[in-house]
């Protein structure tokens, strides 16, 4: 039975023709791809444990991080139980389970992900994938697919090919296409004397990786750009222009990470342009804070604006929404819960906007009412609608999920020493 706060809140939105029940239905079918790497600080399960590299860093040492596949899956189960809706899980190649065998990245196979697939199948989850082109001796100098040494390039090309094969296996087994996202750290700390040659090599490497074609019902290929990283402050080979052009020319998905641009350059303002020229767009929803691109996603202006843009463009089915943050200073399961709940919450917030009405105001040049309403809607009783959605999706309402996390921490995570 709907509570009175919800019934009352609904009437405010209905005055502008917003159908709240319809918004609930729509939202329930929007999967967010939850990144597994928040659960263990991008450590992975490789036998040869390499230090994280590639200009990304995880800070903090909150106790209880997952140490193997079973623990990571248990943690994901806990987080997913607190997040409304049906979602996906995004894996990295370093999460292969090789039974103690030291298998290098170019030799990973679908069978090393059997446990993930069985787990996902049981829960009806889709799986996405990423080659791990960092944290490896062959990526020590910060160059991989654009490396001057053909042998190094070859190794990473083979790793990316192996990754696409694994994704095809996911797609086949789970009946939903697996998004394979290629991100490489390649770049220079200081001013390059040649920007073109590494980009030319990256382009050739990608061409080689994509020679094998997979049906789009199995694999969706994406490429992710970056402006700078730690150690690649002056130049990143795979810049936005590079991948935007590459994706366009080769019919791949351009993946925009919201932490990978200048501080005032927003992904929300890029989406409509990309959607005009591409069938699909992929996202890494993240939160940049000064030099870091990967803080836990909060319900901030940019997150809401991204959600608004997807909804206003009627593109919920054309945007692969994934998350990318890692924080080891707080409970990692809570980090997932907070960031993913916020992303779902922002989509609901956007679905409650009377966008036809507001679009019309703009067309008429009525900017006074446009601004007035956009501001007034900010304090509409959204909380009651969100609570009702959580209730109907049978997940904890408001902050009550924290109790679940506290219990889980005590019963499970604190025992991991
Ligand atoms: C790095 C990219 C990349 C990684 C993950 C772990 O800046 O955003 O997506 O964060 O692949
Ligand atoms: Zn990313």
């Amino acid at each position: 039975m709907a509570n009175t706060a919800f019934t009352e809140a609904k009437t405010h939105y209905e005055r502008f023709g917003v159908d709240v029940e319809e918004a609930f239905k729509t939202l329930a079918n929007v999967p967010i791809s939850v990144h597994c790497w928040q659960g263990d600080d991008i450590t992975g399960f490789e036998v040869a444990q390499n230090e994280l590299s590639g200009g990304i860093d995880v800070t903090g040492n909150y106790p209880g991080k997952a140490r193997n596949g079973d623990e990571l899956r248990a943690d994901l189960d806990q987080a997913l139980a607190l997040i409304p809706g049906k979602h996906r899980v995004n894996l990295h190649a370093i999460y292969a389970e090789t039974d103690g065998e030291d298998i290098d990245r170019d030799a990973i196979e679908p069978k090393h992900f059997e446990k993930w697939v069985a787990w996902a199948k049981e829960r009806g989850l889709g799986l996405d994938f990423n080659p791990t082109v960092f944290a490896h001796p062959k990526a020590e100098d910060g160059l991989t697919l654009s490396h001057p040494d053909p042998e190094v390039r070859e190794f990473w090309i083979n790793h990316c090919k192996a990754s696409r094969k694994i994704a095809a296996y996911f797609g086949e087994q789970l009946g939903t296409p697996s998004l394979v996202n290629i991100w490489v750290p390649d770049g220079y700390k200081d001013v390059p004397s040649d920007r073109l040659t590494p980009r030319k090599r990256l382009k050739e490497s990608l061409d080689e990786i994509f020679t094998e074609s997979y049906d789009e019902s199995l694999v969706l290929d994406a490429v992710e750009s970056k402006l700078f990283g730690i150690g690649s402050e002056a130049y990143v080979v795979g810049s936005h222009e590079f991948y935007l052009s590459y994706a366009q020319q080769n019919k791949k998905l351009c993946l925009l990470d919201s932490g990978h641009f200048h501080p005032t350059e927003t992904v929300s303002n890029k989406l409509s342009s990309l959607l005009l020229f591409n069938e699909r767009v992929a996202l890494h929803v993240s939160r940049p804070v000064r030099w870091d691109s990967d803080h836990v996603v909060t319900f901030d202006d940019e997150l809401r604006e991204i959600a608004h843009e997807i909804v206003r463009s009627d593109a919920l089915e054309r945007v692969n929404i994934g998350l990318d943050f890692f924080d080891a200073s707080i409970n990692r399961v809570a980090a997932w819960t907070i960031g993913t709940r916020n992303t779902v919450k922002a989509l609901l917030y956007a679905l409650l906007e009377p966008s036809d009405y507001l679009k019309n105001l703009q067309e008429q040049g009525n900017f006074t009412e446009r601004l007035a309403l956009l501001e007034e809607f900010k304090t509409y009783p959204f909380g009651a609608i969100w609570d009702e959605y959580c209730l109907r999706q049978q997940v904890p309402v408001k902050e009550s999920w924290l109790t679940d996390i506290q219990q889980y921490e005590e019963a499970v995570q604190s025992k991991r020493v």
Side-chain angles (χ1 to χ4, degrees):
M1 203 186 58
N3 64 54
T4 47
F6 169 67
T7 319
E8 150 76 16
K10 216 163 101 161
T11 60
H12 291 278
Y13 292 93
E14 279 168 354
R15 279 196 301 130
F16 283 91
V18 174
D19 188 335
V20 177
E21 297 295 337
E22 202 52 41
F24 283 177
K25 270 192 220 146
T26 306
L27 187 60
N29 290 317
V30 182
I32 308 291
S33 189
V34 179
H35 56 313
C36 79
W37 52 92
Q38 163 61 64
D40 75 336
D41 315 340
I42 332 179
T43 308
F45 314 138
E46 283 179 318
V47 174
Q49 283 283 313
N50 301 293
E51 240 176 71
L52 186 57
S53 73
I56 53 177
D57 203 5
V58 187
T59 48
N61 54 2
Y62 199 87
K65 86 170 180 180
R67 296 163 301 183
N68 54 52
D70 292 336
E71 290 182 354
L72 190 57
R73 283 184 286 271
D75 289 1
L76 276 162
D77 276 334
Q78 176 58 76
L80 291 170
L82 306 175
I83 299 160
K86 192 93 183 149
H87 301 290
R88 305 173 62 84
V89 169
N90 199 2
L91 299 179
H92 242 283
I94 48 171
Y95 293 87
E97 286 165 284
T98 61
D99 231 348
E101 229 187 300
D102 187 0
I103 301 203
D104 211 348
R105 304 254 177 100
D106 56 344
I108 50 165
E109 293 177 58
K111 67 173 182 204
H112 302 128
F113 291 88
E114 270 168 2
K115 285 192 190 167
W116 283 108
V117 166
W119 174 81
K121 216 181 251 180
E122 228 171 75
R123 288 151 181 79
L125 300 166
L127 289 178
D128 295 313
F129 201 69
N130 303 260
T132 311
V133 193
F134 52 84
H136 188 280
K138 287 201 168 66
E140 247 168 20
D141 57 5
L143 297 172
T144 63
L145 290 177
S146 74
H147 205 287
D149 180 348
E151 268 177 46
V152 176
R153 293 203 300 278
E154 177 82 14
F155 174 81
W156 291 115
I157 288 169
N158 288 336
H159 173 56
C160 291
K161 285 183 173 176
S163 297
R164 294 178 74 229
K165 204 167 162 190
I166 290 160
Y169 160 71
F170 290 171
E172 231 168 63
Q173 291 291 313
L174 303 170
T176 164
S178 180
L179 182 89
V180 188
N181 173 48
I182 298 182
W183 173 74
V184 299
D186 300 36
Y188 290 115
K189 180 186 176 73
D190 227 326
V191 189
S193 51
D194 178 5
R195 288 182 171 84
L196 184 62
T197 305
R199 287 191 170 135
K200 191 165 172 284
R201 283 196 292 256
L202 176 57
K203 179 174 181 287
E204 285 163 5
S205 293
L206 291 168
D207 288 346
E208 176 58 35
I209 290 165
F210 295 131
T211 44
E212 174 110 21
S213 75
Y214 292 99
D215 195 273
E216 57 183 42
S217 64
L218 301 178
V219 175
L220 295 172
D221 291 300
V223 285
E224 177 184 9
S225 66
K226 193 167 183 173
L227 179 67
F228 76 94
I230 305 168
S232 61
E233 290 84 358
Y235 168 76
V236 164
V237 183
S239 61
H240 180 53
E241 292 71 17
F242 177 91
Y243 281 126
L244 184 63
S245 311
Y246 192 90
Q248 206 71 64
Q249 196 172 59
N250 298 281
K251 303 230 173 311
K252 302 296 175 196
L253 278 75
C254 187
L255 185 144
L256 304 173
D257 182 311
S258 50
H260 288 190
F261 295 89
H262 285 287
T264 57
E265 185 185 1
T266 55
V267 160
S268 54
N269 194 29
K270 296 181 190 297
L271 276 171
S272 48
S273 302
L274 264 72
L275 285 166
L276 263 183
F277 295 97
N278 299 271
E279 184 45 39
R280 288 193 160 274
V281 177
L283 291 182
H284 268 183
V285 180
S286 184
R287 178 167 53 107
V289 177
R290 306 201 188 282
W291 57 267
D292 182 46
S293 68
D294 303 292
H295 273 53
V296 178
V297 168
T298 56
F299 193 65
D300 61 9
D301 286 351
E302 175 59 3
L303 178 69
R304 293 199 306 272
E305 203 60 18
I306 288 173
H308 272 316
E309 282 302 306
I310 299 173
V311 171
R312 288 169 187 162
S313 313
D314 196 15
L316 280 166
E317 284 171 16
R318 292 168 58 206
V319 181
N320 287 60
I321 308 173
L323 304 175
D324 187 11
F325 50 80
F326 21 96
D327 188 341
S329 73
I330 59 174
N331 182 302
R332 294 169 185 81
V333 180
W336 267 323
T337 309
I338 295 165
T340 317
R341 276 177 72 107
N342 278 334
T343 307
V344 177
K345 195 189 283 181
L347 289 170
L348 179 60
Y349 186 84
L351 283 163
L352 296 182
E353 180 183 84
S355 51
D356 287 344
Y357 189 85
L358 290 167
K359 281 176 190 168
N360 201 27
L361 289 178
Q362 179 171 305
E363 290 298 292
Q364 291 165 358
N366 191 344
F367 306 138
T368 308
E369 196 177 334
R370 182 184 65 181
L371 181 61
L373 290 181
L374 281 173
E375 288 307 296
E376 289 301 332
F377 290 153
K378 286 181 180 170
T379 47
Y380 263 44
F382 172 67
I385 310 259
W386 166 245
D387 289 349
E388 178 70 14
Y389 184 66
C390 289
L391 206 66
R392 294 203 197 171
Q393 292 287 324
Q394 297 175 328
V395 301
V397 172
K398 291 197 172 74
E399 66 283 357
S400 63
W401 59 266
L402 261 173
T403 318
D404 296 61
I405 297 271
Q406 281 153 2
Q407 282 164 0
Y408 187 72
E409 179 170 322
E410 204 177 301
V412 181
Q413 291 171 296
S414 70
K415 306 271 154 64
R416 294 173 186 161
V417 280

